Structure formats: C-alpha cells, structure tokens
Amino acid sequence: MSSLVLSFQEMDKTQLLLVGGKGLNLGELSKIEGIKVPEGFCVTTMGYPKAIEQNAAYNALLDRLTRLKAEDRDQIGEISRKIRQIIMEVEIPSDVVKAVTHYLSQFGDEYAYAVRSSATAEDLPHASFAGQQDTYLNIIGVDAILQHISKCWASLFTDRAVIYRMQNGFDHSQVYISVIVQRMVFPQASGILFTADPITSNRKLLSIDASFGLGEALVSGLVSADSYQVQEGEIVNKRIATKKLAIYGRKEGGTETKQIDPVQQNTQTLTEQQILQLARIGRQIEAYFGSPQDIEWCLAQDTFYIVQSRPITTLFPIPEANDHENHVYVSVGHQQMMTDPIKPLGLSFFLLTTKAPMRKAGGRLFVDIAPRMATPVGRETLLNTLGSDPLIKGALMTIIEREFIKLLPNDQKEQSLGESNKGTSSASFQAQIECDPTIVSNLIKSSQASIEELKQNIQTKSGLDLFDFILEDFQQLRKFLFDPQSSRVFMTAMEASSWINEKMNEWLGEKNAADTLSQSVPNNITSEMGLALLDVADVIRPYPEVIDYLRHVKDDDFLDGLMKLDGGQQTQDAIYAYLNKYGMRCAGEIDVTKTRWSEKPMTIVPMILGNIKSFEPNAGKRKFEQGRQEALEKEQELLNRLKQLPDGNQKAKETERVISLIRNFIGYREYPKYAMISRYFVYKQALMKEAEQLVQAGVIHEKEDVYYLTFEEFHDVVRTNKLDDQIISKRKDEYKLFEKLTPPRVITSDGEIITGKYGRENIPAEAIAGLPVSSGVIEGRARVILRMEDADIENGDILVTSFTDPGWTPLFVSIKGLVTEVGGLMTHGAVIAREYGLPAVVGVENATKLIKDGQRIRVHGTEGYIEIL
C-alpha cells in the first residue's frame, strides 16, 4: 500500500492529515454496512508538497501571502492567481502518476470519474470550509484525471479559499490538499439530506432537498428543489418545486445543463417510499458518526448512493441532560443581558451563585424549566415572569400547545400558593412591604459592610485556604441575593409599575405612564455610575494639557504619567475615586473573566473625553434634576386628571401611594447585581495572585489560562501543581467556536429552537418590530456598536447593539435612544433607559444587521418599533 494513494477501503480514522476531511468521511462511509458509496481512491496530501516544495517562486509568493490581511483583496487576488498558475504548470511526480494509473486500472480506466478536492482543514466539526475547493465531474481517461488533480491542488489558492483561511485563523502553509477520484454515478435524481432541520435545529426533524439530474445544479443554486421533512419515520411536510433545468453528464465527458420536459417539471422527484428509505439511511449514517450530518446523495437505477457526509457545524448544541425525558431550556444570557459565551471559570462562578437548575451548552447557561412547566401553577408563574418578552412567551405557548411537557396531577398546595399572587391591588403592595425608604438604604449599608469585611479577610488567605474561603463566602453572596426582603423590595416596585401602567391606561387612556415616573429615582447604583462619569469630566475640563494627554495615551499605566501635568493630581484622584466605586464593572460583567475597568482603566478614557466634548459643566446634576422634575410633573398631572373622574379622590389617593412605591424602590432593582459583581471582583483579584504563582512555577503559560478552568479544576491545579497543556488549548478552540454561535432564547431537548413573534397590528409594514420598554419617539443617527470599547458616540446618537448590561451605562448619558437585540421590560437596558428618559425598543431580532451604522432611524419607544428613514 503506497502512502501516496489510498483506496476508500484502505483508509482509517487516524489519517485526516493524509486524506483530508472529505476523503476521511468517504472512507468511513464505505465501511457502514448497507450504505452504497461509489468506489474510489484518494491522492493523499503527500503528493501535493512533493510537487511544489522545491519551487522557489511558489515559496516566495506564499511568504508574501502570509503577510496580508483578509481586507487586502486586490493583492490576495494577484498573488493567489500566480500561485495557481505555478501549481498548474508543475509536473506531477512520477510515483504519484504511477500510483494513480495503478488504481484506475483496478477500478476501470474506461469509466467516468468525479475529481474532488479534500483539504486537511475541511469538513471539520468546527469549520466546514464548504465550497472552498473545486470539484470536477465526468472526467474520462488517465491524462484528463491527472490534469484535474493539478486543478484541485491549484483550487487551494482560489481567492475565496485564501480569505476563508485568513478569517478562520488557518495557516496557508499548514493546509494540505488531497484529491478524491471517485466513480461517477449518473443519477436520475440527487440532493442533500440534513439529519437535523437546518432552520429550527430540531434534531428529530430530518430535511431532504431533491432535484433531477446531478446534485451540482442544486448546490450551485441553479434550480429549486423539492423539500421533504420526515419526523420519526413519517413524512410531515412536502413542498414540490417547479424544476425547469437539470445538469447531466455527457458521453464524451464533462456536463451539460438541459431543460426538463414541461410535463415532468412539477412532478415529485422522489416517491414516498424513496423519501422514507433515504431518511432511514440518513439516521444510520448519523448514528455511525455520532452527530447530525449534512449528506450528499444520488439515486441511480433505484439505488441510493452516498457521495459525502459532513457534520452540520451551525447547530446550537443541546444543553446536557442525563435522561431521555423532554426538557425545555431558557437562555440565562437573555435575562442577564449578555449573550456572549462565558469562559469556564465564569460559568462556574455563576453556577456557584445561583439556585436555579442550570445546564451548559455552547459556552452559555440555560435554565431547565421543564419541572415548572409540568404543573398549572408553574406554567402560570413562568408565563408571568418570562412573559414580558413576547419572543419567549410565544415559544412557551407553542410548547404548551404541543403538549411537549405533560402536566402532572395538580398539586393543591402549590395551586393555593399561586392563587395568592393573582391580581395586584395597591392594598396588596401595602401588605407586602411598607413604603419606607430606609428599607433600601439599610439593605445597601449592610451589603457594603459585608463587602468591606470580605476585602479585609481575604487578604490573609492563599493557596487551598483561599479556595475554601471563597466557597464559604459564596454562601454570604447567595444569602444577600436571595434575601426575601431584598426580593420583596424590587418585586413591589415592579408590581407597582405594572399596576400604574394598567390603571392609568384603563382610567385615563395613558400608555406606559410608569416610564416617566421612574426617571431619576434615588439609590440606582447603575444610573448614578453614568452620571458620576460626567462629574469626572467636570474635574478634567479646566485642564487642556490633561485633555490633550488623554487623547494620545495608549497604555493602562497612563494614570502615573498624569502627575507631571497641570491638573494631573486632580484628574488622577477623580479617576481613582470613580474606579474605587465602579471599577469592578465592565461590558459582559457576569463573566468574571472579562477585563474590569480597574484592570484596564483605558476603557473609560474615550467616554470621559466624549463627555468633555458633548456636555457643559455640571451636566450630571442637571440631567438628574431634569428627570426628577419631569417625574414629579407627570405625577401631579395624573393625580389632577384622576380627581376629575367619578370616585376620583379615592383613585388619586391610591395612585399616589403606588407612585411612592415606584419612586422609593425601583432604583434598588440594579443594586443586587452590583453587590454580586463587587464580590466577584474581590474573589478574582485574590485568585489571579494564585494564577501568577502557577505561571512562576511553570504550570501555566499566562495567568489568563486559568479562565479556561472551572473553579474546581483551578483548585486541583493549585493542590497538585500539575496541568495537562492540552486542556487549555482545547478549551480555547472551543471558546472560539462558541463565539460564532448565536444562542437561542428557548431550545428543547430535541434541539429545536422555538421563538414567538411580535404582534404587528399597529406597526407600519416596513417597520422593524421589538418590545417597547421606555416611552417616547426619537429620531437620530444609528450607531451600530458590537463592543463597548469601539464606541464612538456623539451626543444625540441612537445606540443599536446586541445587548447592554450595566457596563454600557456610561454611554447612556450621550445617547438619545436605545435599540437592542436582547432584553425585556425589567432587564438592565430597559430600567436605565426609563430612568434617563430615553425611548427604547429591545428584543429586536437581528437589529445590528437590519440597521446600518450611520442610518437615520426613528425609534417608537411607546409602540415598540423602529423605522429606517
């Protein structure tokens, strides 16, 4: 057996680097009993370097290519063309020619063959490279086949293949190509079979596309295909397309496109029996490879042949469960306003904090709500708590209608518990909690004292003691987060807001009245943080030398350099004071591994400079006071209008009491998260000292490597002073893969992503729908920003982004409207938008793609839609 050429039967699983992803999969497919694969062989990756490694011109061009970036399209095009030309002109090594000729004589050199590329970085679990290299069909004769082997080698350097490698971090010199030579099948029909539905990701729904002739017509988009869906052995959906064209092989070689006879154009490509037979073959292949597959098939003489199978790389992974029951998972990221993947240390911090039944998938956390969906009361509670997001509520309603989770016999005790929360009257607020502002200040004081005590005590801990100490302290954190009084405070405020919105609409026809009433409330730690950065700008504004210095600094030690400048001391003091109070925050802060402002103070410099440029002195206090006045005027206006109604004095009195609950308590909604993030940062600083010790001991390469370990694994590494290098590099690769995935709001244990829809009754046809969370209508320039550090916001812009958590708040003082892809009525962005009086629409699917940076848009914060002007 020559290592230059291997038949499909001679390959084994370890030979990816010899035969490439496509070749390896064909080798595996040909071993599955009952699966027909047209016979063939692979010119291995040994042949390609043998042909070009001594070529000086090739190596020089490759060197030039390596120095380019994906944006350098013109240069890429020119260099790639020259490389392809060299490869086409190079002589194929004689031993490769000999081996190819030998295998062709075995299989029959009079037959037609498909000649297809198979790169070593192709059809991998994390990068499909689909369509990057070339395929040639119906090639007849040894000379023609050898010529097309050269063409396949050259296709490693098409512009699209080169750019794809650059974007995915693959080294051009490390990607080799093998070439598949496979007996042609001349099919009556062909197509693609997905063993999981590529649209909804449902692993139980199998999807088949089928058309007449060769599959190339379908892959190249030349024809429409029939579409069939099969679930659990039954055809559940069929769409028959009009198929006007098909590609067929010519007798003398090559292919031609033909018109299909009009009588045949609308006939079903496969019979019912064939559809079900193909579905069974798909399930057999999926079971063999152990993951959902994208399979190319063809049908000739009533026999199905499989010509390729590759993993589907775009499916979101299913959260792990250790049983075969039905489960429903709701994304934590959509509740926490951070849908990026979280590194393992960050995940384990969150898991140590929460009491909810959490599952991991794709670097994100999901709550398994199946147990709660199994009882009537649980269902009602879920629809009430998650129902403020119509996309989640709609998904839950679909799941309930399908009876995906069966109801358990009713539990009387739970039923009565649920009944007591129904219908919120103002009297029930009073029963829950007195309207006493000192409740909030006492909760905050006790939390602050506890954090100060933690800072003192943790300084004496190190090594294994530190890990035990932190585990112990997580109890304190949980005690505070789940303190019934703390929860009652903000639940009361949220119920009070709902009551106001409902009653003011019913009594006065006034929509979302609570939005204005929530402006500039006391004790909102997050909105205070945005205003406090305006105060920092006030300190720096009188010193032009400092401003100029800040415009040009690049390094995080810029604070030391301030001391040489006039106003430097004052600037340093103001920034340190700000970081002292808010430096534990950052964008995506629920992931403890994200860089905090205290760790990278440069992050806040552009925002400070923006505030100096856009605002007059004392803007923070003026903004707060303006919002407070607007809230008080709105309260007065509502009370006066209510008094004119029948029974008006009673209504006004009740409303005034509920408004005071909102004003006193809604600001506290943001505090528990601040306390959690403050504690996280204290833990992190102590743990990073341990990481430094591990770097010095040579156990890890850089201290950030510990981010890719769970808390328990980190503890073990400190205990044993040992770590397998592979773990970190494998987790880094996984994280890069997770970054490319979009997490669903709701996913089932079948892997199906279910989503609701927004009602469109009052929305213009062209408008983009979302959830209204902060009233008002505003027009302005859209700034589409995906990372806070890239923000270039001018006063009056409208921020359009995937999500905003508290770390984004300093930008809110400059914007006049907000649009996000993620969010609900009580998530961070909504709360702060209301407090600052910014019209906001959240939960807008694909907002950052549908709205272009710089477009003028109109945001309807009361009705919940955006118009592109």
Side-chain angles (χ1 to χ4, degrees):
M1 183 177 89
S2 145
S3 57
L4 289 171
V5 177
L6 295 172
S7 76
F8 297 161
Q9 299 298 328
E10 291 168 332
M11 295 174 190
D12 71 55
K13 278 182 182 166
T14 61
Q15 291 173 319
L16 173 69
L17 293 176
L18 269 184
V19 296
K22 204 178 276 180
L24 194 67
N25 290 354
L26 278 169
E28 289 302 306
L29 280 167
S30 61
K31 295 187 178 75
I32 308 175
E33 200 175 328
I35 301 291
K36 294 259 192 294
V37 177
E39 59 191 7
F41 59 88
C42 238
V43 180
T44 71
T45 52
M46 311 272 282
Y48 167 67
K50 212 172 156 74
I52 49 91
E53 64 195 347
Q54 299 306 319
N55 192 301
Y58 166 86
N59 287 315
L61 286 167
L62 193 63
D63 193 43
R64 279 175 60 195
L65 196 60
T66 305
R67 291 202 284 268
L68 297 179
K69 289 191 173 66
E71 297 77 64
D72 307 323
R73 301 279 161 121
D74 293 347
Q75 286 166 278
I76 290 170
E78 185 199 343
I79 295 172
S80 300
R81 185 178 52 75
K82 288 179 179 167
I83 292 178
R84 289 199 301 276
Q85 202 174 338
I86 289 172
I87 295 170
M88 284 300 297
E89 288 167 3
V90 148
E91 199 176 324
I92 297 180
S94 59
D95 43 1
V96 175
V97 174
K98 194 173 152 193
V100 168
T101 311
H102 166 71
Y103 276 89
L104 279 173
S105 68
Q106 278 197 324
F107 292 134
D109 46 22
E110 73 279 14
Y111 294 118
Y113 287 83
V115 183
R116 312 161 76 189
S117 316
S118 175
T120 51
E122 190 174 34
D123 291 347
L124 304 179
H126 60 283
S128 77
F129 276 71
Q132 296 305 314
Q133 271 82 46
D134 291 343
T135 288
Y136 302 95
L137 298 178
N138 201 18
I139 310 301
I140 301 169
V142 178
D143 290 345
I145 286 168
L146 288 167
Q147 186 192 353
H148 284 86
I149 287 170
S150 291
K151 281 189 177 181
C152 284
W153 287 349
S155 75
L156 201 51
F157 288 94
T158 58
D159 297 9
R160 66 176 187 265
V162 168
I163 289 164
Y164 187 91
R165 285 198 294 272
M166 285 173 169
Q167 288 167 337
N168 286 279
F170 287 94
D171 180 344
H172 303 302
S173 63
Q174 296 305 310
V175 178
Y176 294 117
I177 195 162
S178 83
V179 180
I180 297 161
V181 179
Q182 185 175 25
R183 265 285 290 278
M184 270 296 287
V185 170
F186 295 100
Q188 66 221 54
S190 53
I192 296 163
L193 154 64
F194 293 99
T195 64
D197 181 22
I199 308 300
T200 66
S201 295
N202 186 350
R203 274 42 168 208
K204 288 195 174 165
L205 193 65
L206 184 138
S207 183
I208 297 169
D209 285 355
S211 66
F212 297 119
L214 287 163
E216 292 309 292
L218 190 59
V219 175
S220 62
L222 184 68
V223 297
S224 301
D226 287 359
S227 173
Y228 319 121
Q229 290 183 317
V230 179
Q231 185 155 0
E232 292 171 344
E234 275 183 44
I235 299 169
V236 292
N237 200 350
K238 277 194 307 191
R239 201 190 72 236
I240 311 305
T242 303
K243 300 165 285 291
K244 292 181 178 172
L245 300 170
I247 295 178
Y248 293 102
R250 298 198 317 219
K251 279 207 164 44
E252 65 275 22
T255 60
E256 61 183 341
T257 304
K258 284 186 181 173
Q259 288 278 340
I260 292 176
D261 177 350
V263 180
Q264 203 191 354
Q265 285 182 5
N266 290 305
T267 56
Q268 192 171 308
T269 311
L270 297 180
T271 66
E272 320 282 291
Q273 202 180 342
Q274 287 169 337
I275 292 168
L276 294 174
Q277 185 192 350
L278 185 55
R280 286 192 294 275
I281 290 171
R283 288 286 176 235
Q284 191 184 348
I285 293 170
E286 178 184 62
Y288 181 84
F289 284 112
S291 70
Q293 297 288 301
D294 159 1
I295 298 165
E296 291 173 33
W297 57 270
C298 50
L299 177 68
Q301 283 91 45
D302 292 328
T303 301
F304 281 109
Y305 291 91
I306 303 302
V307 292
Q308 189 46 257
S309 185
R310 61 175 75 83
I312 305 176
T313 58
T314 52
L315 297 178
F316 197 87
I318 305 174
E320 74 277 352
N322 302 323
D323 56 37
H324 296 289
E325 302 295 314
N326 284 354
H327 294 270
V328 178
Y329 305 103
V330 174
S331 157
V332 172
H334 285 79
Q335 312 302 306
Q336 290 293 337
M337 298 302 283
M338 209 291 276
T339 53
D340 289 348
I342 300 177
K343 295 190 181 91
L345 188 63
L347 287 172
S348 54
F349 263 57
F350 204 86
L351 291 168
L352 285 165
T353 307
T354 181
K355 292 176 169 177
M358 292 282 172
R359 299 286 177 267
K360 291 184 282 196
R364 278 89 172 175
L365 288 169
F366 292 82
V367 181
D368 182 2
I369 59 167
R372 299 192 73 177
M373 288 198 83
T375 70
V377 172
R379 281 183 184 189
E380 191 181 355
T381 310
L382 281 171
L383 291 171
N384 288 338
T385 50
L386 299 173
S388 66
D389 180 342
L391 300 180
I392 292 182
K393 186 176 188 172
L396 298 186
M397 294 304 293
T398 300
I399 288 163
I400 289 168
E401 281 159 25
R402 288 187 191 170
E403 299 187 356
F404 184 73
I405 302 289
K406 299 274 184 274
L407 276 174
L408 296 171
N410 209 345
D411 176 30
Q412 292 309 305
K413 188 162 134 251
E414 191 178 15
Q415 185 67 39
S416 65
L417 180 81
E419 292 297 323
S420 66
N421 289 331
K422 272 193 171 167
T424 319
S425 75
S426 114
S428 79
F429 297 141
Q430 284 307 96
Q432 275 194 353
I433 196 160
E434 283 305 308
C435 187
D436 174 3
T438 62
I439 295 174
V440 171
S441 47
N442 290 340
L443 281 167
I444 291 175
K445 269 190 203 126
S446 117
S447 164
Q448 294 294 75
S450 167
I451 291 167
E452 285 312 311
E453 189 186 344
L454 164 66
K455 285 178 181 171
Q456 290 303 311
N457 293 343
I458 205 165
Q459 285 175 3
T460 61
K461 308 288 183 242
S462 65
L464 299 180
D465 286 351
L466 172 66
F467 286 84
D468 294 342
F469 174 79
I470 290 174
L471 266 182
E472 190 80 16
D473 195 76
F474 264 109
Q475 308 285 359
Q476 284 298 110
L477 172 55
R478 282 203 295 270
K479 198 167 133 192
F480 169 73
L481 285 178
F482 304 110
D483 174 359
Q485 190 181 30
S486 174
S487 309
R488 268 205 304 275
V489 167
F490 60 76
M491 283 311 295
T492 299
M494 284 156 72
E495 286 170 359
S497 297
S498 299
W499 187 90
I500 287 287
N501 282 341
E502 200 180 305
K503 295 297 182 191
M504 295 310 102
N505 196 13
E506 183 189 322
W507 292 339
L508 302 172
E510 175 95 27
K511 268 192 169 180
N512 304 347
D515 292 0
T516 309
L517 297 169
S518 306
Q519 285 183 205
S520 300
V521 292
N523 295 317
N524 187 323
I525 190 81
T526 309
S527 61
E528 286 166 7
M529 170 172 82
L531 300 174
L533 205 58
L534 287 169
D535 298 342
V536 174
D538 286 349
V539 171
I540 300 170
R541 194 177 276 104
Y543 303 111
E545 206 183 343
V546 171
I547 295 170
D548 188 58
Y549 171 78
L550 291 178
R551 279 198 191 113
H552 295 97
V553 288
K554 294 274 181 283
D555 298 320
D556 284 308
D557 53 11
F558 72 92
L559 286 161
D560 302 337
L562 284 164
M563 299 316 290
K564 303 191 282 285
L565 308 174
D566 178 31
Q569 182 68 61
Q570 292 89 323
T571 299
Q572 196 190 58
D573 292 348
I575 291 176
Y576 272 133
Y578 185 83
L579 291 174
N580 231 1
K581 188 163 187 184
Y582 305 111
M584 76 296 286
R585 309 213 88 154
C586 67
E589 62 187 12
I590 61 164
D591 179 357
V592 73
T593 72
K594 294 259 185 185
T595 307
R596 311 284 134 178
W597 296 339
S598 287
E599 295 169 320
K600 191 175 172 55
M602 270 300 300
T603 313
I604 63 171
V605 169
M607 294 186 272
I608 294 170
L609 292 170
N611 288 346
I612 292 170
K613 179 179 154 189
S614 300
F615 295 100
E616 296 293 311
N618 227 9
K621 289 178 186 63
R622 269 202 312 281
K623 255 184 183 297
F624 186 82
E625 191 46 41
Q626 182 190 340
R628 201 176 72 87
Q629 285 305 326
E630 281 175 22
L632 294 174
E633 283 162 23
K634 173 56 83 179
E635 178 176 14
Q636 222 32 67
E637 177 215 321
L638 293 173
L639 297 178
N640 291 340
R641 284 167 64 194
L642 286 169
K643 284 172 185 168
Q644 313 302 312
L645 302 176
D647 209 10
N649 284 340
Q650 181 54 36
K651 282 174 177 157
K653 192 176 164 197
E654 200 172 5
T655 300
E656 188 172 17
R657 191 168 59 205
V658 179
I659 290 173
S660 68
L661 287 170
I662 296 177
R663 300 284 307 160
N664 284 326
F665 291 158
I666 198 79
Y668 180 73
R669 170 79 181 83
E670 289 286 304
Y671 187 81
K673 191 170 190 184
Y674 170 81
M676 172 176 116
I677 298 301
S678 300
R679 269 193 135 80
Y680 273 16
F681 188 49
V682 178
Y683 303 156
K684 181 183 184 179
Q685 286 172 300
L687 287 170
M688 291 321 277
K689 287 182 184 156
E690 295 300 317
E692 274 166 29
Q693 301 282 323
L694 292 174
V695 173
Q696 280 163 14
V699 178
I700 54 176
H701 298 297
E702 47 190 19
K703 59 181 188 192
E704 287 76 17
D705 284 351
V706 298
Y707 294 166
Y708 295 92
L709 300 172
T710 65
F711 185 79
E712 297 74 16
E713 288 168 342
F714 190 178
H715 176 270
D716 279 350
V717 172
V718 167
R719 184 173 56 79
T720 60
N721 239 18
K722 281 195 195 75
L723 174 65
D724 175 2
D725 256 5
Q726 290 299 303
I727 290 176
I728 303 293
S729 63
K730 181 170 168 274
R731 301 251 174 103
K732 285 181 178 176
D733 286 345
E734 277 174 357
Y735 185 78
K736 277 186 197 150
L737 165 62
F738 295 155
E739 281 183 305
K740 294 177 186 170
L741 298 173
T742 302
R745 283 174 169 79
V746 179
I747 185 170
T748 70
S749 45
D750 289 352
E752 184 177 5
I753 292 168
I754 302 179
T755 179
K757 287 189 168 54
Y758 292 110
R760 297 197 62 102
E761 43 283 358
N762 307 321
I763 293 181
E766 296 300 301
I768 303 168
L771 181 69
V773 293
S774 184
S775 297
V777 178
I778 200 78
E779 275 183 29
R781 176 177 70 156
R783 292 318 313 255
V784 180
I785 292 163
L786 298 179
R787 299 182 332 142
M788 198 188 96
E789 49 270 38
D790 301 334
D792 176 16
I793 293 272
E794 291 189 10
N795 202 15
D797 284 342
I798 295 170
L799 174 61
V800 180
T801 186
S802 311
F803 56 80
T804 63
D805 64 353
W808 288 73
T809 303
L811 294 178
F812 280 33
V813 297
S814 302
I815 59 175
K816 60 178 180 184
L818 174 69
V819 177
T820 67
E821 293 180 338
V822 172
L825 207 56
M826 289 313 293
T827 45
H828 155 77
V831 173
I832 303 300
R834 289 194 289 273
E835 174 142 348
Y836 283 174
L838 305 171
V841 180
V842 303
V844 181
E845 295 272 74
N846 297 316
T848 57
K849 295 184 182 79
L850 296 171
I851 300 167
K852 303 281 178 276
D853 188 50
Q855 277 181 331
R856 273 193 79 71
I857 61 172
R858 186 184 293 131
V859 176
H860 293 257
T862 313
E863 301 296 337
Y865 63 92
I866 299 108
E867 291 176 287
I868 295 175
L869 307 175

